[in-house]
Amino acid sequence: MDGKTLARIGAVVFVAIAVTATAIEMTRKDDRQNSPATQARAVTERDPLGAELARCSGMGEAGARDPSCLKIWAENRRRFLGEPAPTPAPTTPTTLFPSAPADEPPGKIPPAIQAEPSGPEAR
């Protein structure tokens, strides 16, 4: 056999295998459990956050102004970045300057330190 005939036989065999594989794939029943739409639906059923994210995503530009969507996106960011859940605000007021003396009444403003006026500069 010369090379030309061998190449033609190889091409015919390749095409026959491709047609057979295509016919088998087309006659197979759809595997609905592994389809992306089914997987997305299963995720939203398990995770209510996913359902809310899908709702906010479907809102388009209005989602950026919706307060509930902003909260959902913040929660999603927190989960994605692995940050701990936000702690609730303390119930007791905190002082900004704990080292400052606390003997002054709250309404009285302590006098500010006055800087000495600068003298004329000698040139």
Side-chain angles (χ1 to χ4, degrees):
M1 281 190 161
D2 64 350
K4 222 180 211 188
T5 308
L6 190 59
R8 286 181 182 165
I9 291 173
V12 169
V13 169
F14 176 76
V15 170
I17 290 173
V19 168
T20 305
T22 303
I24 290 172
E25 186 65 30
M26 289 177 67
T27 59
R28 245 171 66 180
K29 292 183 179 178
D30 287 337
D31 190 10
R32 297 282 181 197
Q33 292 178 348
N34 291 332
S35 69
T38 306
Q39 289 176 349
R41 186 174 33 234
V43 168
T44 57
E45 289 171 359
R46 284 183 277 144
D47 187 15
L49 180 67
E52 284 296 312
L53 286 170
R55 181 186 68 81
C56 291
S57 176
M59 289 176 70
E61 196 173 316
R65 292 183 296 262
D66 186 27
S68 65
C69 289
L70 294 174
K71 288 179 185 177
I72 292 296
W73 284 326
E75 174 65 17
N76 190 43
R77 254 190 320 276
R78 185 193 65 77
R79 281 188 184 184
F80 179 77
L81 296 175
E83 298 173 355
T87 57
T91 56
T92 59
T94 58
T95 57
L96 294 176
F97 304 104
S99 62
D103 55 344
E104 295 287 329
K108 183 179 177 189
I109 300 174
I113 299 175
Q114 296 289 327
E116 291 185 27
S118 61
E121 292 182 20
R123 293 188 187 194

